[in-house]
């Protein structure tokens, strides 16, 4: 356990404790390891071949590895976080490509090793670059190695032979192949991104369809039940009042029977729009079923809630809905109940429903507030048919 803890602390020191920075530092360290390994191979070649300038290779190895060490330390410090490329992918690739081109000049007869290192460099940065950046890096690599090949042929003691031609062609083939493959990978990335966006949009639409009433665009019954349960728990924790109101359009069935279901649908849509315009942004209206609606009021005093419902009642009474033979007017009856400590949402809805039945019995087009004492059992009065 102690060894594991020490290893964790060491990793935190090297990689940082910030998750995003840990990823960037890890990738930079991987590039550093690859460059160090390549430098080791070049040093081995210089040690084994008298034709290679060992001093120049040593300086090259120090510069190549040292440059990546500086970049890695810069990334670890967090100073790159505000840059557009916080991983320094492009500077690292430019540095390593330049180092590879210099290695091509220094390697002598062993320069056939360089194309494989070059391919590794180009593949390493593929997933962090845009398509334009891939083309730019590929062009830079072609120019860098064209200069390297030119320098090699210019200062070489031996004439440019078939082996030099083979090395130059291999570099060209590797570069062209890497760029073409990288561009292909970038196109796949773009396509996958577009598919992810389309999938996210489709999932959002499905969630909306699952939680919304198709006709009015309001929350449906199931979504409202979930939301009321959440608000109930918040109310218990904070002590803020929560009120529930049952709204029922008066004499709605004759509207469908007399004017048709299309007019009835327009009436429901107009009703929903009117109520939404009358309530606050924090209030939640849902279609409960048919011509019944439920309104949830959070952090509202009962007196203010009643005034709000009276405003809704007047707004609905002032509505005019055109139809084939004239205009249609509607009224609404409402029952309001304060959610009581220790009670359930279902019981509060029952009390609001009983208050709604009372409003219907008193002549409709009115607001009735349920008593805040013990629940009254009035199951016989809670049927929808009694309110039609």
């Amino acid at each position: 356990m102690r060894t594991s803890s020490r290893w964790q602390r060491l990793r935190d020191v090297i990689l940082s404790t910030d998750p995003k920075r840990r990823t960037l530092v890890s990738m930079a360290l991987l590039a550093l390891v690859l460059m160090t390994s390549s430098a080791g191979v070049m040093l081995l070649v210089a040690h084994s071949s008298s034709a290679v300038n060992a001093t120049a290779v040593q300086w090259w190895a120090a510069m190549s590895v040292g440059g990546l060490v500086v970049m890695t330390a810069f990334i670890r410090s967090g100073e790159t976080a505000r840059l557009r490329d916080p991983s320094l992918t492009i500077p690292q690739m430019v540095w390593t490509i330049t180092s590879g081109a210099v290695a091509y000049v220094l390697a002598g007869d062993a320069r056939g090793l360089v194309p494989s290192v070059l391919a590794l460099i180009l593949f390493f940065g593929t997933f962090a670059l845009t398509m334009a950046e891939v083309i730019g890096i590929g062009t830079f690599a072609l120019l860098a190695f064209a200069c390297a090949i030119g320098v090699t042929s210019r200062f070489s003691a031996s004439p440019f032979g078939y082996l030099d031609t083979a090395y130059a062609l291999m570099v060209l083939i590797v570069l062209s192949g890497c760029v073409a493959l990288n561009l292909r990978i970038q196109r796949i990335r773009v396509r996958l991104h577009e598919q992810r966006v389309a999938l996210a949009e489709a999932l959002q639409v499905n969630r909306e369809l699952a939680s919304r009433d198709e006709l009015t665009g309001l929350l449906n019954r199931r979504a409202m039940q979930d939301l009321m349960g959440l608000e109930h728990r918040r109310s218990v924790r904070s002590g803020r009042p929560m009120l529930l109101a049952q709204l029922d359009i008066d004499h709605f069935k004759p509207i469908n029977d007399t004017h048709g279901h299309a007019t009835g649908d327009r009436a429901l849509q107009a009703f929903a729009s009117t109520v939404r315009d009358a309530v606050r942004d924090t209030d939640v209206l849902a279609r409960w079923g048919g011509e019944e609606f439920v309104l949830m009021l959070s952090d509202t005093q009962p007196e203010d809630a009643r005034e709000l419902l009276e405003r809704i009642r007047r707004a609905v009474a002032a509505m005019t809905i055109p139809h084939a033979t004239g205009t249609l007017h509607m009224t609404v009856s409402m029952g309001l109940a304060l959610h009581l400590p220790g009670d359930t949402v279902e019981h509060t809805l029952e009390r609001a429903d009983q208050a709604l039945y009372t409003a219907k019995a008193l002549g409709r087009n009115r607001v009735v507030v349920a008593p805040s004492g013990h629940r009254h059992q009035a199951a016989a009065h809670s049927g929808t048919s009694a309110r039609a």
Side-chain angles (χ1 to χ4, degrees):
M1 292 293 292
R2 187 173 299 175
T3 302
S4 176
S5 177
R6 288 176 180 172
W7 173 241
Q8 180 63 46
R9 286 198 297 270
L10 179 61
R11 284 196 302 174
D12 290 343
V13 170
I14 296 173
L15 301 178
S16 163
T17 56
D18 178 71
K20 186 174 181 180
R21 197 187 305 175
R22 284 174 75 98
T23 301
L24 298 180
V25 175
S26 298
M27 296 303 292
L29 285 174
L30 177 58
L32 180 58
V33 168
L34 293 174
M35 176 56 77
T36 303
S37 300
S38 300
V41 172
M42 283 291 294
L43 290 170
L44 181 61
V45 169
H47 178 73
S48 304
S49 174
S50 58
V52 177
N53 188 327
T55 302
V57 170
Q58 289 169 2
W59 275 104
W60 168 87
M63 293 293 292
S64 298
V65 174
L68 289 188
V69 168
V70 171
M71 292 188 206
T72 302
F74 196 38
I75 294 170
R76 173 60 181 84
S77 71
E79 292 298 318
T80 63
R82 57 177 177 265
L83 302 178
R84 194 181 75 85
D85 180 18
S87 62
L88 299 181
T89 301
I90 294 178
Q92 287 188 74
M93 292 190 71
V94 168
W95 184 261
T96 51
I97 288 170
T98 303
S99 297
V102 174
Y104 185 88
V105 175
L106 298 177
D109 293 339
R111 40 184 190 271
L113 299 171
V114 175
S116 59
V117 177
L118 176 62
L120 189 62
I121 293 169
L122 292 176
F123 281 129
F124 183 78
T126 294
F127 295 102
L129 301 180
T130 65
M131 193 172 295
E133 289 169 340
V134 169
I135 294 173
I137 287 292
T139 302
F140 173 77
L142 283 169
L143 292 175
F145 274 86
C147 291
I149 293 169
V151 169
T152 301
S153 61
R154 174 69 176 81
F155 294 101
S156 177
S158 58
F160 195 82
Y162 76 94
L163 196 56
D164 298 292
T165 303
Y167 286 157
L169 289 175
M170 184 56 68
V171 168
L172 179 61
I173 291 169
V174 169
L175 280 174
S176 301
C178 287
V179 171
L181 189 55
N182 283 346
L183 290 176
R184 176 62 178 168
I185 291 173
Q186 293 302 317
R187 283 193 290 269
I188 293 173
R189 285 182 61 197
V190 170
R191 191 180 310 119
L192 289 175
H193 175 71
E194 292 172 349
Q195 290 174 348
R196 284 197 300 270
V197 170
L199 179 59
E201 292 174 350
L203 289 174
Q204 182 61 32
V205 170
N206 286 337
R207 282 194 291 267
E208 287 290 323
L209 291 175
S211 63
R212 295 281 173 181
D213 171 60
E214 186 177 357
L215 179 65
T216 61
L218 301 175
L219 288 180
N220 58 27
R221 184 171 185 146
R222 181 174 180 178
M224 186 61 161
Q225 286 173 328
D226 292 341
L227 195 58
M228 288 190 298
L230 178 62
E231 188 58 33
H232 160 73
R233 292 189 290 273
R234 289 177 178 169
S235 178
V236 169
R237 288 196 304 268
S238 65
R240 298 182 307 174
M242 179 180 83
L243 297 101
L244 299 177
Q246 293 262 18
L247 292 69
D248 191 272
I249 300 174
D250 296 324
H251 304 296
F252 185 76
K253 188 174 183 299
I255 295 176
N256 278 332
D257 295 342
T258 304
H259 304 290
H261 288 282
T263 300
D265 288 348
R266 288 199 301 274
L268 289 171
Q269 290 169 336
F271 175 84
S273 177
T274 298
V275 176
R276 271 186 307 210
D277 291 342
V279 300
R280 305 167 303 177
D281 292 338
T282 54
D283 303 327
V284 183
L285 178 67
R287 187 180 180 191
W288 205 243
E291 69 274 18
E292 298 179 54
F293 298 80
V294 168
L295 178 65
M296 181 173 69
L297 308 169
S298 303
D299 199 16
T300 306
Q301 296 302 320
E303 299 79 9
D304 297 331
R306 178 169 187 136
E307 290 181 8
L308 175 62
L309 294 186
E310 284 290 348
R311 188 163 66 246
I312 291 172
R313 185 190 63 79
R314 291 192 296 270
V316 171
M319 286 170 45
T320 57
I321 302 167
H323 60 89
T325 59
T327 56
L328 180 67
H329 296 271
M330 296 191 306
T331 59
V332 62
S333 299
M334 291 173 276
L336 176 67
L338 174 66
H339 187 56
L340 302 176
D343 220 340
T344 65
V345 171
E346 291 75 15
H347 293 152
T348 303
L349 281 171
E350 285 181 15
R351 293 173 48 239
D353 193 64
Q354 292 161 16
L356 173 60
Y357 176 81
T358 301
K360 293 284 189 179
L362 292 175
R364 297 180 169 85
N365 190 26
R366 66 190 65 231
V367 178
V368 172
V369 180
S372 295
H374 295 292
R375 296 191 310 275
H376 299 285
Q377 300 301 322
H381 299 293
S382 62
T384 308
S385 60
R387 306 193 225 110

